[in-house]
Amino acid sequence: MGRTVLVVDDSATIRLQAGRALSKAGFRVVEAVDGLDALEKLAGTEEIALIVCDVNMPRMNGVELVEALAARGSMPPMVMLTTEGHPHLIQRAKAGGARGWMIKPFKPELLVAAANKLIAA
Amino acid sequence: MEDTSLAESLLLAAVPPLFAPTRDVVAGERTYAPPTEDGLAASIGFGGADMNGALTIFGVPASLRVFASVVFDLEAEDDALLADMVGELANMLLGRYRNALLREGVEVLSATPVTTRGKDLRVGHGRRKAQRSWYAFRDESGHALWITLDVAFREGFVFGGPDQDAASLAPQEDELVLF
């Protein structure tokens, strides 16, 4: 199974931090700066095995991305990586098909463990 | 406790855990303006039915590099990345603050951070006249992170006390929940 992870965040810091943690664990990492950029990357030829996605982003936020992919009927496993903690938002993402929720700042080993678990599932 | 004081105390309580356990950061002096030397400020707005405002952090580059390396385990390779890190620090601090407010039954949404660099930086007051205090948080090496909160409340709003339901449902920082 492919091990390419799409990291979606408008913060270069988070893309770098998450990207380094995943790369060290053997994943190939592709980056997107918001939901619309993520959709463009997903339309490319590379098969994405997992999406790690922020919630608050310009143009298209993370929950909107979940819902857009759900509407298309095609969504790799998706973990939200965010400062958001409102239960209503979490439920909305879960209902859209997101597989997990992680609060920033995050432990790199937890992110890698989640990636391994969700890609293997 | 008067609402502005509670609003500030919730924010001040959210700061040390952001850097723990790697670095002890404690609240230090309180002033009416940050230092005038060259530094970076990141400001992020928030708003909801009961309150709105902005949180601003400030630091000199050397100190911000230290704090950023603690939180992100990254070195700021250039000024652009340092500015992004400072914005993300403000974002994470606001996230903790928002979760603290949620546990008090208050919901606010957040904007995206804006980072500025310069000397003698000043932050303008919001629409309502507000008395602003800057709080310096220092680590054991003396590096300082300055923080201020602008906040305005809906007329008649009073904090209602801890919301146990909200507190039990919201995930904790550093936590991973798989559905």
Side-chain angles (χ1 to χ4, degrees), chain A residues 52-114:
Chain A
V52 176
C53 187
D54 187 17
V55 170
N56 290 325
M57 296 179 291
R59 300 200 304 163
M60 176 184 274
N61 69 39
V63 176
E64 290 169 341
L65 176 62
V66 170
E67 293 170 343
L69 292 174
R72 295 183 182 190
S74 168
M75 186 165 81
M78 198 159 165
V79 174
M80 315 310 290
L81 176 60
T82 174
T83 58
E84 291 282 353
H86 199 293
H88 173 71
L89 206 55
I90 297 171
Q91 285 303 316
R92 188 177 153 197
K94 183 181 175 184
R99 300 288 301 279
W101 196 277
M102 185 178 253
I103 301 284
K104 297 175 189 174
F106 66 95
K107 291 191 174 78
E109 59 271 24
L110 268 187
L111 178 63
V112 170

Coordinates of all heavy atoms in Angstrom, one line a residue, chain A residues 52-114:
Chain A
V52 N -3.6 14.6 6.5 CA -3.5 15.3 7.8 C -3.8 16.7 7.6 O -3.1 17.4 6.8 CB -2.0 15.2 8.4 CG1 -2.0 15.9 9.7 CG2 -1.7 13.7 8.6
C53 N -4.9 17.2 8.2 CA -5.5 18.5 7.8 C -5.8 19.4 9.0 O -6.5 19.0 9.9 CB -6.7 18.2 7.0 SG -7.5 19.6 6.2
D54 N -5.4 20.7 8.8 CA -5.8 21.7 9.8 C -7.3 22.0 9.6 O -7.9 21.6 8.6 CB -5.0 23.0 9.5 CG -5.1 24.1 10.5 OD1 -5.7 23.8 11.6 OD2 -4.8 25.2 10.1
V55 N -7.9 22.7 10.5 CA -9.3 23.1 10.4 C -9.4 24.6 9.9 O -10.0 24.8 8.8 CB -10.0 22.9 11.7 CG1 -11.4 23.6 11.6 CG2 -10.1 21.4 12.0
N56 N -8.8 25.5 10.6 CA -9.0 26.9 10.2 C -8.0 27.3 9.2 O -6.8 27.5 9.4 CB -8.8 27.8 11.5 CG -9.9 27.7 12.4 OD1 -11.1 27.5 12.0 ND2 -9.6 27.7 13.7
M57 N -8.4 27.4 7.9 CA -7.6 27.8 6.8 C -8.4 28.7 5.9 O -9.6 28.7 5.9 CB -7.1 26.6 6.0 CG -6.3 25.6 6.8 SD -5.8 24.2 5.8 CE -7.4 23.3 5.6
P58 N -7.7 29.6 5.1 CA -8.4 30.5 4.2 C -9.0 29.6 3.0 O -8.6 28.5 2.8 CB -7.3 31.4 3.7 CG -6.0 30.8 4.0 CD -6.2 29.9 5.1
R59 N -9.8 30.2 2.2 CA -10.4 29.7 1.0 C -11.3 28.5 1.3 O -12.4 28.4 0.9 CB -9.4 29.4 -0.1 CG -8.5 30.7 -0.5 CD -7.9 30.5 -1.8 NE -7.0 29.3 -1.9 CZ -6.6 28.8 -3.0 NH1 -6.9 29.3 -4.2 NH2 -5.8 27.7 -3.0
M60 N -10.8 27.4 1.8 CA -11.6 26.2 2.2 C -11.0 25.7 3.5 O -9.8 25.3 3.5 CB -11.6 25.2 1.1 CG -12.3 23.9 1.4 SD -12.2 22.6 0.2 CE -13.6 23.1 -0.9
N61 N -11.8 25.6 4.5 CA -11.3 25.1 5.8 C -11.3 23.5 5.8 O -11.8 22.9 4.9 CB -12.0 25.7 7.0 CG -13.4 25.2 7.1 OD1 -13.7 24.0 6.9 ND2 -14.3 26.1 7.5
G62 N -10.8 23.0 6.9 CA -10.6 21.5 6.9 C -11.9 20.8 6.9 O -12.1 19.7 6.3
V63 N -12.9 21.3 7.7 CA -14.2 20.6 7.7 C -14.9 20.6 6.4 O -15.5 19.7 5.9 CB -15.1 21.1 8.9 CG1 -16.4 20.4 8.9 CG2 -14.4 20.9 10.2
E64 N -14.8 21.8 5.7 CA -15.3 21.9 4.4 C -14.6 20.9 3.4 O -15.3 20.4 2.5 CB -15.2 23.4 3.9 CG -16.1 24.4 4.6 CD -15.7 25.8 4.3 OE1 -14.6 26.1 3.9 OE2 -16.6 26.7 4.6
L65 N -13.3 20.7 3.6 CA -12.6 19.8 2.8 C -13.2 18.3 3.0 O -13.4 17.6 2.1 CB -11.1 19.8 3.0 CG -10.3 18.8 2.3 CD1 -10.4 19.0 0.7 CD2 -8.8 18.9 2.7
V66 N -13.4 18.0 4.3 CA -13.9 16.7 4.6 C -15.3 16.5 3.9 O -15.5 15.5 3.2 CB -14.2 16.5 6.1 CG1 -15.0 15.3 6.4 CG2 -12.8 16.5 6.9
E67 N -16.1 17.5 4.0 CA -17.4 17.4 3.4 C -17.4 17.4 1.9 O -18.2 16.7 1.2 CB -18.3 18.5 4.0 CG -18.6 18.4 5.4 CD -19.2 19.6 6.1 OE1 -19.2 20.7 5.5 OE2 -19.8 19.4 7.2
A68 N -16.5 18.1 1.3 CA -16.3 18.1 -0.2 C -15.9 16.7 -0.6 O -16.4 16.2 -1.6 CB -15.3 19.2 -0.6
L69 N -14.9 16.1 0.0 CA -14.5 14.8 -0.4 C -15.6 13.8 -0.1 O -15.7 12.8 -0.9 CB -13.2 14.4 0.4 CG -12.0 15.3 0.0 CD1 -10.8 15.0 1.0 CD2 -11.6 15.1 -1.4
A70 N -16.3 13.9 1.0 CA -17.4 12.9 1.2 C -18.4 13.0 0.1 O -19.0 12.0 -0.3 CB -18.0 13.2 2.6
A71 N -18.7 14.2 -0.3 CA -19.7 14.4 -1.4 C -19.3 13.7 -2.7 O -20.1 13.3 -3.5 CB -20.0 15.9 -1.6
R72 N -18.0 13.7 -2.9 CA -17.4 13.1 -4.1 C -17.4 11.6 -4.0 O -17.2 10.8 -4.9 CB -16.0 13.6 -4.4 CG -15.9 15.0 -4.7 CD -14.5 15.4 -5.0 NE -14.4 16.8 -5.3 CZ -13.3 17.4 -5.8 NH1 -12.2 16.7 -6.1 NH2 -13.3 18.7 -6.0
G73 N -17.6 11.1 -2.7 CA -17.5 9.6 -2.5 C -16.1 9.0 -2.6 O -16.0 7.8 -2.8
S74 N -15.1 9.9 -2.4 CA -13.7 9.4 -2.5 C -12.9 10.2 -1.5 O -12.6 11.3 -1.7 CB -13.2 9.7 -4.0 OG -11.8 9.5 -4.0
M75 N -12.5 9.5 -0.4 CA -11.8 10.2 0.6 C -10.8 9.2 1.2 O -11.2 8.2 1.9 CB -12.7 10.7 1.7 CG -12.0 11.6 2.7 SD -13.2 12.5 3.7 CE -13.7 11.4 4.9
P76 N -9.5 9.5 1.1 CA -8.5 8.8 1.9 C -8.8 9.0 3.4 O -9.5 10.0 3.8 CB -7.2 9.4 1.5 CG -7.4 10.2 0.3 CD -8.9 10.6 0.4
P77 N -8.2 8.1 4.3 CA -8.4 8.4 5.7 C -7.9 9.8 6.0 O -6.9 10.3 5.4 CB -7.5 7.4 6.3 CG -7.4 6.3 5.3 CD -7.5 6.9 4.0
M78 N -8.6 10.5 6.9 CA -8.2 11.9 7.2 C -8.2 12.1 8.7 O -9.2 11.8 9.4 CB -9.3 12.8 6.6 CG -8.9 14.2 6.4 SD -10.0 14.9 5.1 CE -9.7 16.6 5.3
V79 N -7.1 12.7 9.2 CA -7.0 13.1 10.6 C -6.9 14.6 10.6 O -6.1 15.3 9.9 CB -5.7 12.5 11.2 CG1 -5.5 13.1 12.6 CG2 -5.7 11.0 11.2
M80 N -7.7 15.2 11.5 CA -7.6 16.7 11.6 C -6.6 17.0 12.7 O -6.5 16.4 13.7 CB -9.0 17.2 12.1 CG -10.2 16.7 11.3 SD -10.1 16.7 9.5 CE -10.2 18.5 9.2
L81 N -5.7 18.0 12.3 CA -4.7 18.5 13.2 C -4.9 20.0 13.5 O -4.6 20.8 12.6 CB -3.3 18.2 12.6 CG -2.1 18.7 13.4 CD1 -2.0 18.0 14.7 CD2 -0.8 18.4 12.6
T82 N -5.3 20.3 14.7 CA -5.9 21.7 14.8 C -5.8 22.1 16.3 O -5.6 21.4 17.2 CB -7.4 21.6 14.4 OG1 -8.0 22.9 14.6 CG2 -8.1 20.5 15.1
T83 N -6.1 23.4 16.5 CA -6.2 24.0 17.8 C -7.7 23.9 18.3 O -8.0 24.1 19.4 CB -5.7 25.4 17.9 OG1 -6.5 26.2 17.0 CG2 -4.3 25.5 17.6
E84 N -8.6 23.6 17.3 CA -10.0 23.6 17.6 C -10.3 22.4 18.5 O -9.8 21.3 18.3 CB -10.8 23.4 16.3 CG -10.8 24.7 15.4 CD -11.7 25.8 15.9 OE1 -12.4 25.5 16.9 OE2 -11.6 26.9 15.4
G85 N -11.2 22.7 19.5 CA -11.6 21.6 20.4 C -13.1 21.5 20.7 O -13.6 20.8 21.5
H86 N -13.9 22.3 19.8 CA -15.3 22.3 20.1 C -15.9 21.0 19.7 O -15.8 20.6 18.6 CB -16.0 23.5 19.4 CG -17.3 23.8 19.9 ND1 -18.4 23.0 19.8 CD2 -17.7 24.9 20.6 CE1 -19.4 23.6 20.4 NE2 -19.1 24.7 20.9
P87 N -16.7 20.4 20.6 CA -17.3 19.1 20.3 C -18.2 19.1 19.1 O -18.2 18.1 18.3 CB -18.1 18.8 21.6 CG -17.4 19.5 22.7 CD -16.9 20.8 22.0
H88 N -18.9 20.2 18.8 CA -19.8 20.3 17.7 C -19.0 20.2 16.4 O -19.4 19.5 15.4 CB -20.5 21.6 17.7 CG -21.3 21.9 16.5 ND1 -22.5 21.2 16.2 CD2 -21.1 22.7 15.4 CE1 -23.0 21.6 15.0 NE2 -22.2 22.6 14.5
L89 N -17.8 20.8 16.3 CA -17.0 20.8 15.1 C -16.4 19.4 14.9 O -16.3 18.9 13.8 CB -15.8 21.8 15.3 CG -15.2 22.4 14.1 CD1 -16.3 23.0 13.2 CD2 -14.2 23.4 14.5
I90 N -16.0 18.8 16.0 CA -15.5 17.4 16.0 C -16.6 16.5 15.4 O -16.3 15.6 14.6 CB -15.0 17.0 17.3 CG1 -13.8 17.8 17.8 CG2 -14.6 15.5 17.3 CD1 -13.4 17.6 19.2
Q91 N -17.8 16.6 15.9 CA -18.9 15.8 15.5 C -19.1 16.0 14.0 O -19.4 15.0 13.2 CB -20.1 16.0 16.3 CG -20.1 15.4 17.7 CD -19.9 13.9 17.7 OE1 -20.4 13.2 16.9 NE2 -19.0 13.5 18.5
R92 N -19.0 17.2 13.5 CA -19.3 17.5 12.1 C -18.3 16.9 11.2 O -18.6 16.3 10.2 CB -19.3 19.1 11.9 CG -19.7 19.5 10.6 CD -19.8 21.0 10.5 NE -19.6 21.4 9.1 CZ -19.2 22.7 8.7 NH1 -19.1 23.6 9.7 NH2 -19.1 23.0 7.5
A93 N -17.0 16.9 11.7 CA -15.9 16.3 10.9 C -16.1 14.8 10.9 O -15.9 14.1 9.9 CB -14.6 16.7 11.4
K94 N -16.4 14.2 12.0 CA -16.6 12.8 12.2 C -17.8 12.3 11.3 O -17.7 11.3 10.6 CB -16.9 12.4 13.6 CG -17.1 10.9 13.9 CD -17.4 10.7 15.3 CE -17.7 9.2 15.6 NZ -18.1 9.0 17.0
A95 N -18.9 13.1 11.3 CA -20.0 12.8 10.4 C -19.7 12.8 8.9 O -20.2 12.1 8.1 CB -21.2 13.7 10.7
G96 N -18.7 13.7 8.6 CA -18.3 13.8 7.2 C -17.3 12.7 6.8 O -17.0 12.5 5.6
G97 N -16.8 11.9 7.7 CA -15.9 10.8 7.4 C -14.5 11.0 7.9 O -13.7 10.1 7.7
A98 N -14.2 12.0 8.6 CA -12.8 12.1 9.2 C -12.6 11.0 10.2 O -13.6 10.5 10.8 CB -12.7 13.5 9.9
R99 N -11.4 10.5 10.3 CA -11.1 9.4 11.1 C -10.4 9.7 12.5 O -10.3 8.8 13.3 CB -10.2 8.4 10.3 CG -10.8 7.9 9.0 CD -11.9 6.9 9.2 NE -11.4 5.8 9.9 CZ -10.7 4.8 9.4 NH1 -10.4 4.8 8.1 NH2 -10.3 3.8 10.1
G100 N -10.0 11.0 12.6 CA -9.4 11.3 13.9 C -9.3 12.8 14.1 O -9.5 13.6 13.2
W101 N -8.9 13.1 15.3 CA -8.8 14.6 15.7 C -7.6 14.7 16.7 O -7.5 14.0 17.7 CB -10.1 15.0 16.4 CG -10.3 16.5 16.5 CD1 -9.7 17.3 17.4 CD2 -11.0 17.3 15.6 NE1 -10.1 18.6 17.2 CE2 -10.9 18.6 16.1 CE3 -11.8 17.1 14.5 CZ2 -11.6 19.7 15.5 CZ3 -12.4 18.1 13.9 CH2 -12.3 19.4 14.4
M102 N -6.7 15.6 16.3 CA -5.5 15.8 17.1 C -5.3 17.3 17.4 O -5.4 18.1 16.5 CB -4.3 15.2 16.4 CG -3.0 15.3 17.1 SD -1.7 14.5 16.1 CE -1.5 13.0 17.0
I103 N -5.1 17.6 18.7 CA -5.0 19.0 19.1 C -3.5 19.4 19.1 O -2.6 18.7 19.6 CB -5.5 19.2 20.5 CG1 -7.0 18.7 20.6 CG2 -5.4 20.6 21.0 CD1 -8.0 19.7 19.9
K104 N -3.3 20.6 18.5 CA -1.9 21.2 18.5 C -1.6 21.8 19.9 O -2.6 22.4 20.5 CB -1.8 22.3 17.4 CG -2.0 21.9 16.0 CD -1.9 23.1 15.2 CE -2.3 22.9 13.7 NZ -2.4 24.1 12.9
P105 N -0.4 21.9 20.3 CA 0.8 21.3 19.7 C 0.8 19.8 19.8 O 0.2 19.3 20.8 CB 2.0 21.9 20.4 CG 1.4 22.3 21.8 CD 0.0 22.7 21.5
F106 N 1.3 19.1 18.8 CA 1.1 17.6 18.8 C 2.5 16.9 19.1 O 3.5 17.5 18.8 CB 0.6 17.2 17.4 CG 1.5 17.5 16.3 CD1 2.4 16.5 15.8 CD2 1.6 18.7 15.6 CE1 3.3 16.7 14.8 CE2 2.5 18.9 14.6 CZ 3.3 17.9 14.1
K107 N 2.3 15.7 19.5 CA 3.5 14.9 19.7 C 3.8 14.1 18.4 O 2.9 13.4 17.9 CB 3.3 13.8 20.8 CG 3.2 14.4 22.2 CD 3.2 13.3 23.3 CE 3.2 13.9 24.7 NZ 1.9 14.3 25.2
P108 N 5.0 14.3 17.8 CA 5.3 13.6 16.5 C 5.0 12.1 16.6 O 4.5 11.6 15.6 CB 6.7 14.0 16.3 CG 6.9 15.3 17.0 CD 6.1 15.2 18.2
E109 N 5.4 11.5 17.7 CA 5.2 10.0 17.7 C 3.7 9.6 17.6 O 3.4 8.6 17.1 CB 5.8 9.4 19.0 CG 5.3 10.0 20.3 CD 6.1 11.2 20.8 OE1 6.7 11.9 20.0 OE2 6.1 11.4 22.0
L110 N 2.8 10.5 18.2 CA 1.4 10.2 18.1 C 0.9 10.4 16.6 O 0.1 9.6 16.2 CB 0.6 11.2 19.0 CG 0.3 10.8 20.4 CD1 -0.6 11.8 21.1 CD2 -0.3 9.4 20.5
L111 N 1.4 11.4 16.0 CA 1.0 11.6 14.6 C 1.5 10.4 13.7 O 0.7 9.8 12.9 CB 1.6 12.8 14.0 CG 1.4 13.1 12.5 CD1 -0.1 13.3 12.3 CD2 2.1 14.4 12.1
V112 N 2.7 9.9 13.9 CA 3.2 8.8 13.2 C 2.4 7.5 13.5 O 2.0 6.7 12.6 CB 4.7 8.5 13.5 CG1 5.2 7.2 12.9 CG2 5.5 9.7 12.9
A113 N 2.1 7.3 14.8 CA 1.3 6.1 15.2 C -0.1 6.2 14.5 O -0.6 5.2 14.1 CB 1.1 6.1 16.7
A114 N -0.7 7.4 14.5 CA -2.0 7.5 13.8 C -1.9 7.2 12.3 O -2.7 6.5 11.8 CB -2.6 8.9 14.0

